[in-house]
Amino acid sequence: MKKTYITTMPNHIGAFLKASECFAKLGINITRVSYNKAIDSHTLFLDAEGSPEKLAEADKYLTDLGYLQSGKNDKSIVLLEFRMPDVPGSITEILSIINEFNFNISYISSQENGTDFQLFKLGLVVENPEKIKEFLLRAEEISDVRVINYNHSEKVYDNSIFYNSFVSGIAQRIGLSDEYKNDLLVNANLAMQLLDEKGLSPYKTFDSIHRFANLLASCRGKSFSPRITRHTITENTEIILIEPPCGSNTTIIISNGEALFVDSGYTLYHEEMTEIFRKIFPDYDNMTKRAFVTHPDLDHCGMLTFFDEIYAIQKTADCLNLEYKQNSGFREENPLHRPYINMCKILTGHTLPDPSKISVICGTSEPMTEPLSQIGFFDFGELHFEVYEGKGAHVLGETVLIDYAHHIAFTGDIYINLKGLTSEQAESLQFAPILMTSVDSDPKSCALERNAILQRLGAGKWQIFGGHGAKKDYFVNLEL
């Protein structure tokens, strides 16, 4: 049995030794240790492996030592900016009020700027939110006060409670329940440790996680504004392309009165997307909902649980089945990808479809030998697709659909229109390469797969619908 311990280590010589001796005595193997005093002077992460009984004994021993976090630490950092006259002693009255409220100051920064005022930034350690509200009312009688978002990329204002403050801030912003906080904390630390070993600043890792969570939260509700375009294929066939600010495109093929959804975005935006679907289909709630999956990444599969029928090739189905049973798919097999994927699942409330809904259209579980191979056919309405499977350079199960009669291609994430991304889409896609080191399982082979797609397109004008970004108009001229 494996378990992750989040320990609060006393800042004195021999603290880790006591924990290590405990595990050794119980025959428990420590498989990972992460501690960085510059980030958090007390929090140490331990991955341990042993029998349930021995781990339970370790729990008691570490609790008795006071090493295990109780989960009841509500401390947080509030960063405030005071606009004060640039005269001697102007900040003294504010400091007196801070002293009256018994707030700890964890950060101070101020510098003249050539005006009659100085901007004083103060980080206050707060345990009671009501006290900070009362303090602000008092302070506003003396100075203009602005609450600043706590940006971990700049400085750690109180490194004894960094992790608690970091996770609590994200949880509040995204609306995350307490039960997921520890999982988010562990995976954030794991991402930091892996990337730190590759030379990436720990603060850039935490800043990227923080900004990604903020972006997810900021695009909800009325702020969810996807770009929606319609493309006529024939008199009886239309394609509607929905491009959310975060997550994959959802492309709807409407042919001969039937609808097929190609991919679905994050679970987080289910309500927003459903509202759009209802505007497109007045009978949406009663219709049979069918989806095709281009590959099993969670930003393409987050809403599959809300569909009645799901079509996929064998490897994509294998991955979805694996996730349903073990909550761990092909992406998590890569240690560099695992923390980011787990954080995405937590932050987006990822749900998994019942495997009984999945119909395998073609393909096998065997490895592919070529960058792109034709493995079968798939028909919907007037459209007749040849089905191609990639070698897995992006992820195993990647699928391409090509209709040669109507010059249409659905390419998933093997080929996307980078120049056709909205600013929000471009921003959302920048975090995965940082936190995973690469969005691709085999970056060197991705170019071969993209070229293989283009080589299979015949002469004429093509409409390419990728997993992100606008439709790509692509012209193939075979004349010499």
Side-chain angles (χ1 to χ4, degrees):
M1 178 179 175
K2 294 182 179 180
K3 182 172 183 176
T4 297
Y5 288 92
I6 307 170
T7 64
T8 303
M9 306 292 280
N11 191 17
H12 59 69
I13 296 171
F16 178 55
L17 175 61
K18 288 185 178 181
S20 179
E21 288 175 341
C22 164
F23 286 121
K25 183 178 179 180
L26 295 172
I28 296 172
N29 186 33
I30 298 175
T31 59
R32 181 179 79 96
V33 178
S34 176
Y35 174 72
N36 189 326
K37 189 173 183 177
I39 295 171
D40 191 309
S41 62
H42 294 298
T43 305
L44 179 141
F45 295 80
L46 287 169
D47 284 0
E49 187 171 7
S51 69
E53 296 76 20
K54 294 299 182 182
L55 289 173
E57 288 186 49
D59 291 352
K60 184 178 185 307
Y61 182 81
L62 294 176
T63 300
D64 291 341
L65 285 177
Y67 283 15
L68 290 188
Q69 293 184 356
S70 66
K72 296 181 179 179
N73 186 356
D74 294 327
K75 288 184 181 180
S76 61
I77 300 295
V78 176
L79 184 60
L80 304 175
E81 182 181 77
F82 299 86
R83 187 172 184 267
M84 307 295 296
D86 190 12
V87 297
S90 62
I91 194 64
T92 302
E93 194 170 357
I94 291 295
L95 294 175
S96 297
I97 300 175
I98 292 173
N99 184 62
E100 181 184 332
F101 277 81
N102 293 317
F103 289 146
N104 248 342
I105 298 176
S106 62
Y107 173 75
I108 302 176
S109 178
S110 177
Q111 187 173 355
E112 64 178 0
N113 54 21
T115 70
D116 294 333
F117 293 87
Q118 278 197 43
L119 298 178
F120 281 82
K121 293 186 178 67
L122 294 173
L124 303 182
V125 182
V126 177
E127 297 186 34
N128 185 342
E130 293 304 318
K131 286 188 69 176
I132 194 65
K133 291 179 183 178
E134 187 181 344
F135 167 78
L136 287 173
L137 290 175
R138 290 278 302 278
E140 285 170 353
E141 296 175 1
I142 302 169
S143 165
D144 291 334
V145 186
R146 184 168 69 96
V147 179
I148 305 174
N149 286 331
Y150 181 11
N151 186 344
H152 300 289
S153 66
E154 296 176 2
K155 292 180 177 67
V156 178
Y157 304 111
D158 185 333
N159 72 347
S160 67
I161 58 171
F162 173 83
Y163 282 108
N164 178 271
S165 180
F166 176 74
V167 171
S168 294
I170 288 179
Q172 183 178 10
R173 185 80 173 92
I174 206 80
L176 194 66
S177 62
D178 289 343
E179 63 180 303
Y180 295 108
K181 284 185 178 179
N182 265 12
D183 287 341
L184 180 60
L185 190 153
V186 169
N187 282 287
N189 167 259
L190 184 56
M192 181 279 297
Q193 185 180 19
L194 289 168
L195 296 174
D196 183 40
E197 292 173 356
K198 290 188 168 294
L200 185 70
S201 163
Y203 301 123
K204 183 165 186 179
T205 300
F206 289 117
D207 180 49
S208 296
I209 297 169
H210 184 262
R211 290 169 58 203
F212 178 58
N214 276 344
L215 183 64
L216 288 171
S218 67
C219 293
R220 301 182 74 177
K222 294 181 179 179
S223 298
F224 186 79
S225 54
R227 180 169 60 188
I228 303 175
T229 54
R230 292 176 176 263
H231 309 272
T232 300
I233 307 304
T234 71
E235 185 177 338
N236 298 311
T237 300
E238 178 187 24
I239 292 177
I240 301 175
L241 178 59
I242 304 173
E243 303 171 59
C246 298
S248 80
N249 292 345
T250 295
T251 309
I252 308 173
I253 304 172
I254 303 174
S255 186
N256 290 338
E258 296 291 325
L260 177 69
F261 295 73
V262 179
D263 287 340
S264 69
Y266 287 128
T267 310
L268 184 68
Y269 303 121
H270 163 61
E271 292 183 5
E272 291 86 347
M273 289 293 286
T274 298
E275 185 177 338
I276 293 172
F277 296 158
R278 285 175 178 149
K279 291 179 181 177
I280 296 172
F281 303 102
D283 195 37
Y284 176 76
D285 292 327
N286 298 315
M287 64 186 277
T288 299
K289 303 171 188 63
R290 300 181 177 91
F292 182 91
V293 190
T294 62
H295 62 286
D297 276 344
L298 66 92
D299 60 328
H300 292 251
C301 300
M303 288 180 56
L304 290 182
T305 188
F306 304 103
F307 285 85
D308 303 305
E309 300 174 11
I310 301 166
Y311 302 106
I313 67 169
Q314 184 65 59
K315 287 191 187 67
T316 292
D318 290 344
C319 184
L320 293 174
N321 288 334
L322 191 63
E323 285 196 86
Y324 188 82
K325 294 176 182 177
Q326 303 179 13
N327 197 32
S328 179
F330 294 159
R331 280 287 184 188
E332 290 91 326
E333 293 175 0
N334 185 333
L336 290 173
H337 292 185
R338 188 183 305 125
Y340 173 76
I341 296 301
N342 287 334
M343 284 188 288
C344 281
K345 287 180 177 179
I346 295 167
L347 294 173
T348 64
H350 187 60
T351 58
L352 299 164
D354 189 318
S356 65
K357 294 182 177 182
I358 303 172
S359 297
V360 175
I361 59 169
C362 58
T364 70
S365 301
E366 298 300 316
M368 306 300 292
T369 58
E370 299 297 324
L372 196 71
S373 302
Q374 201 264 335
I375 60 170
F377 301 93
F378 179 70
D379 293 338
F380 183 78
E382 294 183 309
L383 305 184
H384 174 70
F385 294 107
E386 288 191 12
V387 181
Y388 291 84
E389 180 179 348
K391 194 176 180 180
H394 182 65
V395 68
L396 289 175
E398 56 196 10
T399 313
V400 174
L401 301 178
I402 301 178
D403 182 319
Y404 285 94
H406 300 95
H407 283 197
I408 301 168
F410 291 90
T411 55
D413 280 1
I414 299 178
Y415 184 98
I416 67 173
N417 185 1
L418 289 173
K419 293 183 179 179
L421 296 171
T422 65
S423 59
E424 293 89 352
Q425 290 169 343
E427 183 180 3
S428 69
L429 291 177
Q430 70 176 308
F431 299 111
I434 296 173
L435 296 170
M436 295 167 65
T437 68
S438 172
V439 295
D440 300 316
S441 299
D442 182 2
K444 293 182 179 179
S445 298
C446 281
L448 297 176
E449 292 188 358
R450 285 192 292 272
N451 289 335
I453 291 173
L454 299 180
Q455 289 171 6
R456 279 163 174 74
L457 304 182
K461 181 180 179 181
W462 286 81
Q463 298 183 81
I464 301 176
F465 296 87
H468 302 268
K471 179 199 72 171
K472 171 77 172 180
D473 289 322
Y474 186 77
F475 187 78
V476 179
N477 186 354
L478 298 182
E479 294 181 4
L480 298 178

